[in-house]
Amino acid sequence: GQQVMQIPQYQHVQEGEDFTTYCNSSTTLSNIQWYKQRPGGHPVFLIQLVKSGEVKKQKRLTFQFGEAKKNSSLHITATQTTDVGTYFCAGPRRGATNKLIFGTGTLLAVQP
Amino acid sequence: DADVTQTPRNRITKTGKRIMLECSQTKGHDRMYWYRQDPGLGLRLIYYSFDVKDINKGEISDGYSVSRQAQAKFSLSLESAIPNQTALYFCATSEIASDTQYFGPGTRLTVL
């Protein structure tokens, strides 16, 4: 069946270091979304990428959508303690509209 | 997102008990979803509803049922709770024309 995997599952960094999480889909996606879940919180939408090879930036966060539209990455430059949380990618379920399949998530811990 | 509320926020129950989790939204969205979150497994879709008369099973619907009482209300029931239904449950909504989902604060359910 359709799968969306993320690596790494967990990463611990020192504040100021960079961080990258990778998202890989078993199928081509029409778009990819990224969500952030703070500890004890709920997933919150960050961004959506639609075009092949698209790159979008939000301050220190850089999101990329692969050329084949099967993978994506989120890169955080100079992490801060406020970046702590789990980052999920999500894409439309194959053959369905308005249904998402979520990646397994990457938990980021930032040590001050 | 304060526009999507869930009750209760925490619940401890015993095996065999019937439990209802409720979700309300003021976003005016037609589409509503129930997910469960388990460590390392991401978010898995239980049920979803695209309007009041529409109910659909997700990937893990066994042991669960839902009711869409109104556009703004979508409840999840566990007819006879079992320990492996211990998890964090999220309700989410989306607009017809968008894949972006808006999550409630979650309900932490423990089945003893």
Side-chain angles (χ1 to χ4, degrees):
Chain A
Q2 185 183 11
Q3 291 185 323
V4 179
M5 304 298 292
Q6 284 182 251
I7 54 170
Q9 193 169 10
Y10 170 79
Q11 182 143 17
H12 178 265
V13 300
Q14 294 287 125
E15 190 172 22
E17 292 182 339
D18 292 355
F19 159 77
T20 304
T21 174
Y22 299 91
C23 173
N24 296 290
S25 171
S26 60
T27 60
T28 300
L29 301 171
S30 59
N31 67 77
I32 191 110
Q33 300 180 30
W34 285 91
Y35 292 77
K36 177 183 178 181
Q37 183 179 19
R38 295 182 186 275
H42 58 278
V44 175
F45 173 77
L46 294 177
I47 205 162
Q48 177 173 284
L49 304 171
V50 178
K51 299 177 182 177
S52 170
E54 187 171 12
V55 178
K56 286 188 176 180
K57 292 189 176 184
Q58 289 181 348
K59 297 183 180 178
R60 296 177 293 104
L61 278 61
T62 302
F63 303 84
Q64 288 190 308
F65 199 9
E67 294 289 341
K69 303 184 79 173
K70 294 183 71 175
N71 55 70
S72 182
S73 65
L74 159 58
H75 179 81
I76 303 179
T77 303
T79 55
Q80 299 176 0
T81 55
T82 53
D83 296 324
V84 165
T86 301
Y87 292 86
F88 292 99
C89 61
R93 288 182 183 266
R94 183 170 49 191
T97 56
N98 290 103
K99 283 175 59 181
L100 296 177
I101 180 167
F102 281 83
T104 46
T106 296
L107 174 60
L108 172 64
V110 179
Q111 184 167 351
Chain B
D1 193 315
D3 298 326
V4 184
T5 57
Q6 292 183 236
T7 55
R9 295 294 312 279
N10 288 282
R11 181 72 183 268
I12 299 174
T13 190
K14 294 182 179 180
T15 297
K17 294 292 187 181
R18 184 178 188 275
I19 296 296
M20 179 180 286
L21 309 183
E22 298 188 345
C23 176
S24 294
Q25 54 112 347
T26 57
K27 299 184 78 67
H29 292 170
D30 286 317
R31 305 188 174 208
M32 299 187 73
Y33 310 81
W34 275 105
Y35 291 91
R36 70 175 275 175
Q37 184 176 32
D38 300 277
L41 295 179
L43 293 152
R44 293 183 292 166
L45 184 63
I46 306 172
Y47 270 95
Y48 63 101
S49 169
F50 283 176
D51 65 42
V52 175
K53 298 178 181 179
D54 177 75
I55 299 289
N56 303 281
K57 292 182 177 181
E59 57 185 308
I60 54 163
S61 59
D62 287 350
Y64 302 94
S65 62
V66 291
S67 174
R68 184 80 183 267
Q69 301 94 325
Q71 187 206 35
K73 296 184 182 295
F74 193 35
S75 59
L76 175 71
S77 295
L78 287 68
E79 297 301 325
S80 179
I82 56 177
N84 77 0
Q85 291 178 313
T86 293
L88 187 53
Y89 289 84
F90 287 105
C91 173
T93 72
S94 72
E95 297 179 276
I96 292 175
S98 172
D99 289 325
T100 302
Q101 296 190 5
Y102 300 86
F103 286 80
T107 294
R108 185 167 296 281
L109 177 66
T110 302
V111 183
L112 302 175

